Amino acid sequence: MSDDNTALKCDRGPALSGVTVIHTLGPSGTNLEKAAHHWLAERGVAGNVVLHTEVEDGLDAMAFDGTEAILACAVYPRLHDLVFQNLHRLEMADSFILDTHDMVLAGRPDHPAMATIVSHPAPSSLVAGLGHTTLTSSNSRAAALCAAGQYDACVTTGPAAAAEGLRLIKNFGPVPMIFTLHVGRTLADDAGIDAGDGSAC
């Protein structure tokens, strides 16, 4: 078992070595943004993180030449679609566990009502039964909508709540999360990577 795992890790090396741009979910303050910067820093890469309204929006902006990737996570609602609808151009080449930001329930200052709550789908069960919950595209987007007065409260990250000037109602703390890196490449790249694997490993 250990030999197989070592071989698999070695096989992924060529797919990861050229990545300098990561596309992931915005706006700023999401857990995916944090994880993308962490991945680049851990590898000593002075790369760029590009934020999108939806994770899948990165597909329309990225290069499929091994230099760019999409970062998602294990609880992303459409992770299966990202993987299986893009087998011809994305490779799930890496995964890692990292604590999220503190997940919080927040509201506007001097606004105690909590009849309406906005949340990304993934953490929405944290507020089940507390009010009518509407779903939105990201934790940071939830904070912005709440701050704009469209909802009484939101489930969001600590940094996003602070950036929007929201008051803390409840802190659920950080969540250990699996993040997945999907490298963009063409079918032609497969042959080159496979050939490289034999000599490198």
Side-chain angles (χ1 to χ4, degrees):
M1 176 67 74
S2 60
D3 289 343
D4 290 343
N5 287 339
T6 300
L8 286 172
K9 289 179 181 178
C10 190
D11 288 346
R12 296 189 190 105
L16 298 174
S17 61
V19 175
T20 59
V21 178
I22 297 178
H23 298 262
T24 196
L25 187 65
S28 185
T30 64
N31 294 312
L32 284 166
E33 180 192 27
K34 172 187 176 180
H37 284 294
H38 170 84
W39 189 90
L40 290 170
E42 284 291 295
R43 297 181 68 85
V45 176
N48 296 317
V49 175
V50 182
L51 302 178
H52 299 276
T53 302
E54 303 279 356
V55 168
E56 294 85 353
D57 291 345
L59 293 168
D60 297 325
M62 68 186 293
F64 294 90
D65 60 0
T67 65
E68 303 191 23
I70 287 179
L71 190 75
C73 72
V75 300
Y76 190 69
R78 296 189 299 276
L79 180 60
H80 60 291
D81 288 337
L82 181 69
V83 172
F84 289 105
Q85 292 180 9
N86 295 282
L87 290 175
H88 60 294
R89 58 180 179 171
L90 287 181
E91 176 190 5
M92 189 188 294
D94 201 9
S95 64
F96 57 96
I97 298 176
L98 179 71
D99 280 356
T100 67
H101 292 300
D102 281 1
M103 296 302 302
V104 304
L105 175 63
R108 297 190 305 284
D110 304 319
H111 185 80
M114 202 162 53
T116 60
I117 304 171
V118 61
S119 174
H120 183 267
S124 61
S125 61
L126 292 173
V127 291
L130 295 182
H132 176 74
T133 301
T134 299
L135 303 180
T136 191
S137 58
S138 75
N139 294 314
S140 296
R141 176 65 176 158
L145 291 171
C146 180
Q150 297 187 36
Y151 300 93
D152 296 326
C154 63
V155 178
T156 188
T157 64
E164 296 290 350
L166 299 176
R167 65 181 176 89
L168 179 66
I169 298 172
K170 183 174 183 178
N171 189 342
F172 300 101
V175 179
M177 184 58 58
I178 297 174
F179 294 92
T180 58
L181 190 82
H182 308 256
V183 179
R185 59 178 187 160
T186 64
L187 291 176
D189 294 331
D190 293 343
I193 290 177
D194 290 341
D197 287 348
S199 60
C201 302

